Amino acid sequence: QFAIESVTSLRAGLNHLSQRGVDAVLLDLFLEDSGGLDTFKKVRSFSPKMPIVVLTSTDEERSAVEALREGAQDYLVKDRVDRRMIGRAIDYSIERQRLLTDLQDQALQDPLTRLYNRRGFYLLADHQLKLASRSGKEHLLFFADVDHLKEINDTLGHAAGDQALIQAAKILSSTFRKSDVVARLGGDEFAILAIGSSQIEAGKMLSRLQEKVRASNAQAGDPFKLSLSFGVASSSPSHPDFSVDQFLARADRSLYAHKKGG
């Protein structure tokens, strides 16, 4: 069973998509205000994870094939379809898009902590820094590691070490906003990009983090006491060539100074 709502222009279609509640798009490539492959690209750009089935006529089939290469889930030739074929195409397109999204998410996710991995962090952080260079927004980068993780692994076993990493990830996720980028870079290292936060807020955020660590240690009942060290760096939107690597290097120096200072 499908409830199908129809519009005749790209503008109306995008407006409808913005209201949510849409599971899949049946897209005619030639609308009142848009034509050809460009129609598909605009819908795809507007809603990248939306499953799209392209509708085309026989003499436009080449454009439909190009749409498949660009990410459409299927295409149907208008004068060759019936009710059953449309229903099947919708079902399959939704399932294929779901599987594709899951694979993409896994490629950017650390399997142990369920945070972003290094690849995911670099991808999202680079995007945010580019936006900041245009908007003038400031970001904070927190660089953290789990203290004495090797000692926990050596004395209590790697299962305990994994639990320490999971516990650290939960604390970081619960402290920062959903819009912030929280990642495990590898080993005992974590990075958090606090979007739109200024240097003035860093002290309060660190205090909140340390309080969360204390509360977690009091409740967890683990055979170890979790301890985290942090370094903090602030972005400089006035320098548009500011890179993720440069940002991490500054935060890493701050972490080193923190550890050296005890």
Side-chain angles (χ1 to χ4, degrees), residues 127-231:
H127 177 67
Q128 289 297 333
L129 289 180
K130 286 177 180 175
L131 289 178
S133 69
R134 294 195 294 267
S135 65
K137 281 187 178 180
E138 185 179 359
H139 300 324
L140 287 178
L141 177 63
F142 292 81
F143 194 69
D145 67 18
V146 178
D147 297 324
H148 315 302
L149 183 64
K150 185 178 185 304
E151 183 180 330
I152 293 172
N153 284 327
D154 290 346
T155 58
L156 301 173
H158 285 276
D162 287 349
Q163 186 55 41
L165 293 169
I166 291 170
Q167 192 174 324
K170 288 180 178 178
I171 289 170
L172 296 174
S173 295
S174 65
T175 302
F176 291 92
R177 303 162 297 183
K178 288 185 178 180
S179 58
D180 296 330
V181 184
V182 184
R184 179 190 174 202
L185 299 184
D188 63 352
E189 294 180 341
F190 295 84
I192 308 95
L193 183 67
I195 297 169
S197 299
S198 66
Q199 189 70 41
I200 301 173
E201 302 169 85
K204 291 181 180 179
M205 290 181 174
L206 285 172
S207 295
R208 191 161 64 241
L209 280 165
Q210 297 292 9
E211 182 56 40
K212 291 257 188 182
V213 171
R214 284 191 289 270
S216 178
N217 282 330
Q219 297 172 7
D222 291 314
F224 57 82
K225 290 295 183 183
L226 184 69
S227 174
L228 300 175
S229 294
F230 292 94

Side-chain angles (χ1 to χ4, degrees), residues 122 141 233 239 241-251 253:
Y122 268 76
L141 177 63
H239 295 83
D241 295 329
F242 192 73
S243 70
V244 177
D245 281 323
Q246 289 171 324
F247 209 179
L248 282 170
R250 288 176 55 190
R253 287 195 293 271

Side-chain angles (χ1 to χ4, degrees), residues 17 21-25 43-44 47-52 71 73 97:
L17 279 178
V22 177
D23 297 303
V25 170
V43 176
R44 181 74 167 170
S47 187
K49 294 186 178 181
M50 177 64 64
I52 301 172
Q73 290 301 329
Q97 185 63 48

